Each structure stands twice: as C-alpha cells, then as structure tokens.
Amino acid sequence: MDIKAVETAYARWAPVYDKTFGAITEVGRRRTVGYVNAHAPADVLELGVGTGLALRYYSKTLRVTGIDYSTDMLRKAKKRVAEDGLSHIHALMRMDARALSFEDASFDFVVSMHVLSVVPEPERVMAEIARVLRPGGRAVIAVHFKRDSGALAVLERAFAPLADLIGWHSDFDRSAVLAEPALTLVEEAQLPPMGMMTFMVLERRADRAVG
Ligand SMILES: C[S@@+](CC[C@H](N)C(=O)[O-])C[C@H]1O[C@@H](n2cnc3c(N)ncnc32)[C@H](O)[C@@H]1O
C-alpha cells in the first residue's frame, strides 16, 4: 500500500471508523496508553493518531503530540480535542510517519496503535521512531501480526492482496518491527480477542546509531 492508497482508504474509513475497526481495537488502545500513563509526566508522540480515539485516555500530566497523514481522520481528531477540552493534547499535525519533522531525541515515548501494519515502509517508520526518541525512551506499540498456521492464518493470506481496499496489511510480519538496531524489545504480550493484537515495548538504546 503506498501513501496515496493510505489517504484514499482512510478517507473512506473516517466516517465509520469509531464504530467499526475503532471499536474492536479498543483493548490495544487502553493497554498502550495505560503503559505510558504509568510513566507520566513525559513528552509523548502518537503516530497515526487517526480519529483521536486514544486521546481522552492520556494522563493530563503528559504532553501529547499526534500526527497522521489522513486529513479526514485528523479532522475528526481535532474536533474531538476541541469538543472534549483535551488541553494536554499539545498539537495534532498532518505528517508522514516516514519523515517526521521533529528534532532527534524529542520524545520520551512514541506510541503507535494499529498503525505499523498500515504504513508504507514500516522499517523506515521504526527508524524515525528511534531517531525522535531520547536515549532510554520507549516505543509503545499495539499491532496485528500475521499468524503462521490455523484458520486465521488462511484468512490473513486471503485478505493480503486487498490491502489497498481494506486499509492495512493483514499479513504483516513482526520482522519489520524488530529490524531497527537502535531499539531493543523489552516487553511483549498478546491481547484479546484471541490474541489478535500484540502489545510491545521497545527501548531506545543509547549505544547504537539509528540504522
Ligand atoms: C487503523 S488506523 C489507527 C488509528 C489510531 N491509531 C487508532 O488506534 O484508532 C491507521 C492510521 O494510520 C495512519 N497512517 C498510515 N500511514 C501513515 C503514515 N505514513 N504517516 C502517518 N499516518 C499514517 C492512517 O491515516 C490511519 O489514520
């Protein structure tokens, strides 16, 4: 899926997202934001903020910046922040996660929920995450990975050619998330329903350059 396909797919998703895909992925959002809240105060970047479903869950002592490429999804997030008076949301900006405009070492946490299996060039996004994290900072991730066997694996393979249409890669491989040498996996758990989502925490190594 290229970036144009992302924009087209999420223009279609935006009006219905919160009550469909957004509703069934709520567990990942709660777990991910809960982890960050336990480390507040901190500077947080949320990549692929979408319609902003997670924004209300962040502790008010965090300083949260959100980015997304889809203007339609972002418009909904901005409306949510205004209507709900979410004053700890510092900024919401249109940006490509592959080329962030932030300085190196700007954030304590980079959060990404249900995004890495959507973005074009996920390895490049992982490198950008490492670049903008402070040494010891953490990437906190919820993501769907493909399975190697079973009925769900068959379904994932069947849907893989439809990525442009459905808006994500159903056959996303974990190697893309683990490839960045400046990030080390420190925590991993399977999330319900049926372990469909994976929760991961990766730490920015101080002793390795971004790769
Ligand atoms: C499945 S939605 C997840 C939204 C939100 N994180 C959530 O949990 O509800 C994926 C989001 O990633 C965004 N996205 C995909 N590729 C992107 C890129 N290269 N840069 C920024 N955002 C991107 C899409 O526009 C979409 O809003």
Side-chain angles (χ1 to χ4, degrees):
M1 181 160 44
D2 63 20
I3 198 70
K4 190 77 201 136
V6 168
E7 199 171 22
T8 308
Y10 283 91
R12 268 199 315 270
W13 270 114
V16 295
Y17 183 86
D18 292 358
K19 293 202 158 58
T20 54
F21 189 81
I24 57 176
T25 50
E26 185 66 2
V27 177
R29 229 167 270 118
R30 294 270 191 173
R31 175 71 179 262
T32 307
V33 177
Y35 182 93
V36 177
N37 285 348
H39 297 84
D43 288 324
V44 179
L45 172 64
E46 186 181 329
L47 296 184
V49 68
T51 62
L53 279 176
L55 297 176
R56 61 196 149 158
Y57 300 140
Y58 286 105
S59 160
K60 297 261 193 269
T61 58
L62 294 166
R63 187 174 196 261
V64 181
T65 301
I67 70 113
D68 202 286
Y69 194 78
S70 162
T71 45
D72 295 270
M73 296 290 272
L74 208 48
R75 190 178 305 118
K76 296 206 106 185
K78 286 181 175 168
K79 186 163 179 267
R80 177 168 269 129
V81 167
E83 286 178 357
D84 297 353
L86 303 177
S87 55
H88 56 306
I89 308 305
H90 166 66
L92 291 176
M93 305 154 87
R94 183 169 191 242
M95 206 180 287
D96 188 338
R98 296 173 300 173
L100 299 172
S101 67
F102 306 108
E103 306 264 304
D104 295 359
S106 294
F107 297 97
D108 303 300
F109 292 92
V110 177
V111 172
S112 138
M113 294 166 286
H114 324 113
V115 172
L116 292 170
S117 58
V118 176
V119 292
E121 303 180 280
E123 292 89 350
R124 205 171 139 193
V125 174
M126 293 308 296
E128 277 296 83
I129 290 174
R131 184 184 68 75
V132 301
L133 274 173
R134 296 180 179 131
R138 292 187 167 196
V140 192
I141 291 167
V143 65
H144 171 84
F145 290 127
K146 72 174 183 188
R147 287 159 196 255
D148 294 328
S149 57
L152 284 173
V154 175
L155 267 181
E156 287 161 4
R157 279 198 294 274
F159 276 98
L162 304 178
D164 281 1
L165 189 69
I166 61 178
W168 70 89
H169 297 276
S170 58
D171 62 343
F172 185 59
D173 192 89
R174 59 187 280 120
S175 59
V177 171
L178 300 177
E180 173 49 54
L183 295 171
T184 302
L185 182 66
V186 292
E187 195 171 326
E188 179 169 355
Q190 300 310 123
L191 301 178
M194 295 186 294
M196 297 253 287
M197 293 286 163
T198 302
F199 169 77
M200 274 182 168
V201 182
L202 297 99
E203 186 170 299
R204 172 69 165 98
R205 298 177 62 144
D207 61 340
R208 293 292 284 267
V210 174

